[in-house]
Amino acid sequence: MRTLHPFPGGVHPPEHKLESNSRPIGSAPLPSLLVVPLLQHIGNPAKPVVEAGEKVLKGQLIGKADGYISVSVHAPTSGKVLAVEPRPVPHPSGLPALCVVIEADGEERWVERSPIDYLNLDVSEVRNRLRDMGLAGLGGAVFPTYVKLNPAPDAAIPILVLNGCECEPWITCDDRLMRERAPSIIEGARIMRHLLGAREVIVAIEDNKPEAIAAMGEACRDTDFELVVVPTLYPSGSGKQLTQLLTGREVPSGGRSTDVGVQIFNVGTAHALERAVHHGEPLISRVVTVTGNVRRPQNFEALIGTPLAELVKLTGEPREDTTGYIMGGPMMGFDLHSTAVPVVKAMNCVIARSDRLFPPPPPPLPCIRCTRCAQVCPVRLQPQDLYWFAHARDFGKAQEHNLFDCIECGCCAYVCPSHIPLVDYYRFAKSEIWAREREKKAADRARERHQFHLFRLEREKKERAEKLAQKAAAAKATAAMPNPDADAKRAAIQAAIERAKAKRAGVVPRNVEALSPDKLQEIQEIEARRAKLREVMEKSGEDQA
């Protein structure tokens, strides 16, 4: 019997599980149109590899993983690509994102499927295959599965935890999955254990799921896996809290469960991994709980890309007093802005909202410092202080008080007698801090670029000066060296000048006997000017020489 180590805080809101867990998982029919977002997980969106007008097969690659934190996306059915364009997607911002729109042909023709011989392949190659098959966590965080199966070389993971707690109210998809497909889940955990090299496997299930406990216990019968039933308490299913509950190891501030040797996977992820490895099926469908203000709450296995409106119709005609839909549970989920959004890998639950089930909260009142929020915080934070820091925009103080350790479970807001939406304040503070850090990084990069620009200019100036100095020194050295050819040339020029002088000195007027005295006087004057000119020219030639 394993000793449990309860974490601090936690709450036990009304479960609302019975509404949807009494019926088996239904199969959602093939819709006529599927909208497949290229970003359905944490990390970079996949790059589209198909164009409008192209025909695709079921399971065919339509978006290729881009970067380390990214996985591929596949066609949920066979048909024709109508467009690759932005469409509404389920996200708190309500902003559209790039999607591949596929018109189903109704034939459901599969692409060739290749199972993975994981026992005879290199572990790295198996992980890459899982990335190419689009596997991401189905418990809500949607982290690429192959990354979680690739711990750092110096990080040993002796304990693998299979998370079947499903602590959020209303959600029952994991419960029904464990009841109906336990052998596949256990086989998926066996594969994960092989890839991680874990020595120990723990299957954790909350005690409000007796049927799932029985089914998983039967599936674990011939294994050394340990099935641990934990008390029902929200948020037992959170990674850090479940790690502490099962092992007593407390995840350090800012760390992950792998820092203390524990890796956690949702049971739905284990089932999807088993289908990928043994059947060669990429992740193109998932089980979704449709509950709340609907006529027949139930779990459905729906293709990724199925419009929300068609999924909700499977529970009967929408009730007239439905005021909207929540994706996820009421504690950590968010309101959807449109029923045109598609089913994505992160969509574990859709709750139809009504004023009867979810009355509008009363106006928030001033904080009275009752500290009830601190008493239920599972991370030992002081939520009332974080609220004041966020309200005053003193984000530095909020960080000093470990704001980023907040898992946004909503326990504090659930018990707040002043009805203050505390989690909204924490999300606001986090987003502001992230935005400022992005701006600071951008400013740092700009400053580094400017400094390098100045350094490059100075370096080029110095290089030019050095080259000129080297060139001048080379010319001076060349001039100082003896040059027989130049000396011979200068001697030849000087000899020519001397010959010209001698020739000019030998010239005298001829046939002047018959000239008159005036003409003789004129000739003498001309000769005198010539002599003067020759003297000047000779002097100039000597200066030039």
Side-chain angles (χ1 to χ4, degrees):
M1 179 71 70
R2 176 173 289 271
T3 301
L4 298 180
H5 307 270
F7 57 85
V11 295
H12 194 162
E15 297 178 4
H16 291 288
K17 301 282 190 180
L18 296 176
E19 286 89 337
S20 59
N21 69 358
S22 59
R23 297 184 178 86
I25 298 173
S27 180
L30 176 66
S32 59
L33 202 68
L34 294 114
V35 180
V36 187
L38 290 168
L39 178 59
Q40 301 184 43
H41 56 273
I42 294 174
N44 297 333
K47 285 186 175 179
V49 295
V50 293
E51 297 177 346
E54 191 173 336
K55 290 187 176 180
V56 294
L57 298 176
K58 185 173 185 175
Q60 180 178 328
L61 182 74
I62 58 175
K64 189 173 178 57
D66 181 24
Y68 182 65
I69 309 296
S70 182
V71 295
S72 298
V73 178
H74 302 78
T77 186
S78 58
K80 180 181 178 182
V81 176
L82 295 183
V84 181
E85 62 185 16
R87 289 289 184 102
V89 296
H91 191 272
S93 68
L95 297 173
L98 192 63
C99 300
V100 178
V101 184
I102 300 175
E103 183 183 42
D105 60 12
E107 299 179 3
E108 291 278 78
R109 286 179 296 135
W110 271 95
V111 71
E112 183 179 356
R113 284 166 284 180
S114 303
I116 303 174
D117 185 8
Y118 74 98
L119 291 175
N120 294 311
L121 285 177
D122 181 75
V123 174
S124 176
E125 185 175 350
V126 176
R127 286 195 290 257
N128 291 336
R129 290 280 300 276
L130 295 177
R131 178 192 60 185
D132 296 340
M133 300 184 83
L135 261 68
L138 300 183
V142 208
F143 203 78
T145 301
Y146 90 99
V147 177
K148 293 183 69 175
L149 291 170
N150 187 26
D154 57 345
I157 307 295
I159 301 177
L160 167 64
V161 174
L162 209 55
N163 187 356
C165 288
E166 198 168 48
C167 56
E168 271 254 23
W170 295 96
I171 308 174
T172 60
C173 59
D174 289 347
D175 183 7
R176 289 304 317 189
L177 196 69
M178 289 188 285
R179 294 190 199 185
E180 301 179 29
R181 304 176 191 179
S184 171
I185 296 170
I186 296 303
E187 178 59 21
R190 186 180 286 111
I191 299 169
M192 290 174 172
R193 180 188 196 174
H194 170 78
L195 297 175
L196 282 173
R199 297 193 305 271
E200 189 178 354
V201 179
I202 303 174
V203 182
I205 307 175
E206 282 188 310
D207 58 10
N208 63 348
K209 304 176 183 62
E211 295 87 353
I213 293 170
M216 294 292 282
E218 179 64 24
C220 292
R221 181 185 298 276
D222 297 328
T223 70
D224 60 349
F225 294 1
E226 182 182 3
L227 178 62
V228 179
V229 179
V230 303
T232 298
L233 181 68
Y234 179 82
S236 297
S238 177
K240 293 181 179 179
Q241 282 63 48
L242 188 57
T243 298
Q244 182 174 347
L245 183 62
L246 296 174
T247 67
R249 303 177 184 181
E250 191 167 351
V251 179
S253 175
R256 299 176 178 174
S257 63
T258 52
D259 296 333
V260 293
V262 179
Q263 187 58 288
I264 301 176
F265 287 95
N266 173 264
V267 292
T269 309
H271 171 65
L273 187 141
E274 188 275 335
R275 298 299 302 177
V277 171
H278 288 330
H279 305 276
E281 294 179 3
L283 183 54
I284 58 172
S285 67
R286 70 153 298 146
V287 178
V288 184
T289 302
V290 185
T291 185
N293 193 42
V294 296
R295 301 182 189 281
R296 295 187 301 277
Q298 191 177 354
N299 286 279
F300 297 96
E301 179 158 18
L303 292 175
I304 303 298
T306 301
L308 174 64
E310 295 196 27
L311 185 65
V312 174
K313 280 183 182 177
L314 300 177
T315 61
E317 288 298 320
R319 293 184 184 274
E320 292 76 9
D321 59 341
T322 299
T323 56
Y325 296 92
I326 303 170
M327 177 173 156
M331 301 294 287
M332 298 184 70
F334 60 89
D335 289 332
L336 294 171
H337 295 78
S338 166
T339 56
V341 299
V343 171
V344 294
K345 296 172 184 177
M347 187 178 285
N348 55 359
C349 180
V350 175
I351 304 175
R353 179 192 286 276
S354 71
D355 290 345
R356 176 177 54 85
L357 295 175
F358 301 95
L365 300 172
C367 174
I368 57 175
R369 293 280 188 178
C370 65
T371 70
R372 291 178 63 182
C373 52
Q375 296 169 18
V376 299
C377 179
V379 198
R380 294 193 180 95
L381 298 176
Q382 296 297 318
Q384 75 280 8
D385 290 340
L386 294 176
Y387 160 68
W388 284 111
F389 295 141
H391 189 272
R393 294 176 175 262
D394 192 348
F395 303 126
K397 279 286 186 182
Q399 278 188 284
E400 290 177 7
H401 284 70
N402 300 318
L403 170 67
F404 284 94
D405 282 349
C406 172
I407 60 174
E408 302 179 12
C409 63
C411 289
C412 52
Y414 181 76
V415 300
C416 179
S418 296
H419 312 292
I420 301 173
L422 295 168
V423 177
D424 291 346
Y425 280 94
Y426 308 150
R427 289 172 177 163
F428 164 71
K430 289 180 180 179
S431 64
E432 285 293 307
I433 292 170
W434 286 328
R436 293 184 180 188
E437 288 185 352
R438 283 195 297 271
E439 291 175 359
K440 182 177 181 302
K441 288 181 180 178
D444 290 343
R445 285 196 295 270
R447 185 172 58 254
E448 290 174 0
R449 286 197 298 270
H450 179 66
Q451 289 175 346
F452 180 75
H453 176 68
L454 295 178
F455 167 76
R456 189 181 62 185
L457 292 178
E458 186 63 26
R459 184 188 62 190
E460 291 175 352
K461 181 180 178 182
K462 185 177 180 181
E463 289 175 351
R464 283 196 298 272
E466 290 176 352
K467 286 180 180 179
L468 289 174
Q470 292 173 358
K471 189 175 180 180
K476 186 175 180 181
T478 302
M481 291 177 64
N483 190 340
D485 295 338
D487 293 343
K489 187 176 181 180
R490 283 195 293 272
I493 293 172
Q494 186 61 34
I497 293 173
E498 295 298 332
R499 285 196 299 276
K501 287 180 179 178
K503 187 176 181 180
R504 286 195 297 273
V507 175
V508 296
R510 296 177 181 177
N511 302 322
V512 297
E513 293 79 6
L515 294 178
S516 62
D518 295 337
K519 288 293 182 184
L520 290 174
Q521 180 65 30
E522 184 178 356
I523 291 172
Q524 288 175 354
E525 290 174 355
I526 291 171
E527 289 300 327
R529 287 197 297 274
R530 284 179 177 175
K532 186 68 177 178
L533 183 59
R534 281 197 298 270
E535 183 180 356
V536 171
M537 291 180 66
E538 288 172 357
K539 186 176 182 181
S540 176
E542 290 174 354
D543 293 341
Q544 291 179 357

